[in-house]
Amino acid sequence: MKIIQITDTHLSPNKSHFNGNWEPLRDWIFQAGADLVIHTGDLTVDGADHEDDITFSMALMNQLPMPVLIVPGNHDVGHLPGSDQPVDAVRLERWRRLAGPDYWVSDYGNWRLIGLNSLLFGHGDAEEVAQFSWLEEVLAARDGRRVAIFTHKPLFVDDAHEGDTGYWSIRPAPRQRLYDLFAAHGVALFASGHLHWAWKGTFENTALVWGPSSAFIIDKLEREMPGERVVGAVIHTLSEDVSSEIVTLPELTPYFIDEVIHEVYPRAVAKRVPEAAQ
């Protein structure tokens, strides 16, 4: 089975800065002959606040002839408590109504594919509790199938047991709970997006993949992270085991968010002003 993972497309009918990469990405997916496409979040520029970002982006996803499974990113449903756009009932309802479930399970042969809403981790609320309970149930019921998990935020950035990285990765307490579940159920793959860096590694017996954005790379706005700054996708091949290939796509324009962030994400610029003045 061939799965193409795409991520961080950042599509919008109004802020169309990265829309030009959709058509060549779509055409490459056609040619690659995937059985399934999995989008690991930040489908939109600002679906967390704008319904038309989600409806526009979902219409583009529906151009693909093969099944497409999607998990949300922070730009789709919001982020941590105390952020400018925290995940809340309104944002979750909007996503679920327009895009579908924010976490899901799908079986293909001897594989169980699981999509998680990583933006629920770290809230300590009923939504996080419900997702963890559901995850424990679908892992326990896998009936010998191998498991691949797809989500937006990575488990960590630099080290598997690092502290809280805030914006960038899953917080330590839910991360450790995931590690325990991985060990108990032999999770073979954990694939994510969010960082706009492309990287492959392992944690114990689980392969880890950070998918590259198909929209933009980050130049000087954030620190160096492991991996490569590329735009592209990932091909996951599932058989008895899993192999993953990060694919750089020359058909895509490697936009720099640094050059247009004041237009695309003015909230981020506003937050940086006090820091720069210190």
Side-chain angles (χ1 to χ4, degrees):
M1 180 183 185
K2 181 188 287 188
I3 298 172
I4 289 181
Q5 177 194 352
I6 59 175
T7 195
D8 297 85
T9 47
H10 293 270
L11 300 165
S12 172
N14 303 308
K15 295 184 176 182
S16 58
H17 298 67
F18 315 117
N19 290 356
N21 275 348
W22 168 246
E23 186 172 332
L25 177 63
R26 180 200 64 195
D27 292 348
W28 175 80
I29 293 171
F30 288 161
Q31 296 162 11
D35 300 300
L36 173 69
V37 171
I38 297 181
H39 194 307
T40 49
D42 281 359
L43 171 67
T44 67
V45 165
D46 195 10
D49 276 347
H50 297 285
E51 183 167 311
D52 56 351
D53 267 30
I54 300 178
T55 55
F56 172 84
S57 301
M58 287 302 297
L60 297 182
M61 295 301 108
N62 289 335
Q63 294 175 359
L64 295 171
M66 67 285 292
V68 180
L69 297 172
I70 309 174
V71 292
N74 50 293
H75 290 288
D76 304 319
V77 296
H79 208 189
L80 292 166
S83 65
D84 292 329
Q85 295 175 299
V87 177
D88 60 21
V90 171
R91 293 185 169 108
L92 287 174
E93 186 280 330
R94 182 186 299 123
W95 176 266
R96 291 166 178 170
R97 173 169 46 89
L98 298 174
D102 53 319
Y103 51 94
W104 42 259
V105 61
S106 188
D107 292 337
Y108 292 83
N110 66 327
W111 283 87
R112 171 154 287 193
L113 310 181
I114 297 173
L116 296 178
N117 180 355
S118 60
L119 286 313
L120 298 180
F121 295 135
H123 286 256
D125 61 2
E127 288 284 358
E128 182 177 10
V129 170
Q131 180 174 230
F132 262 121
S133 296
W134 172 88
L135 177 59
E136 291 168 352
E137 290 172 6
V138 298
L139 286 172
R142 63 191 174 90
D143 193 25
R145 295 181 182 90
R146 305 219 64 194
V147 177
I149 294 178
F150 296 85
T151 192
H152 183 59
K153 294 180 74 172
L155 293 161
F156 59 86
V157 178
D158 297 296
D159 182 83
H161 298 290
E162 68 194 8
D164 190 349
T165 63
Y167 180 85
W168 288 117
S169 64
I170 294 171
R171 285 180 163 174
R175 180 204 302 152
Q176 184 59 54
R177 191 169 175 184
L178 289 169
Y179 288 164
D180 294 342
L181 289 170
F182 293 178
H185 297 282
V187 173
L189 172 68
F190 184 96
S192 56
H194 187 53
L195 297 182
H196 293 255
W197 287 79
W199 176 83
K200 293 196 300 182
T202 59
F203 173 71
E204 295 185 350
N205 296 316
T206 302
L208 308 177
V209 178
W210 301 348
S213 169
S214 65
F216 62 80
I217 57 180
I218 305 171
D219 188 18
K220 304 299 183 185
L221 284 174
E222 296 293 344
R223 68 178 178 88
E224 294 273 333
M225 297 184 188
E228 296 181 280
R229 287 188 178 98
V230 297
V231 288
V234 184
I235 298 175
H236 302 283
T237 303
L238 307 183
S239 54
E240 290 304 309
D241 208 340
V242 58
S243 63
S244 302
E245 177 190 3
I246 294 170
V247 182
T248 302
L249 297 177
E251 303 94 327
L252 306 184
T253 301
Y255 297 105
F256 285 91
I257 188 62
D258 310 51
E259 298 171 357
V260 294
I261 192 169
H262 61 289
E263 299 171 3
V264 182
Y265 293 118
R267 284 189 187 91
V269 176
K271 287 180 70 176
R272 288 174 182 280
V273 170
E275 296 172 7
Q278 289 177 359

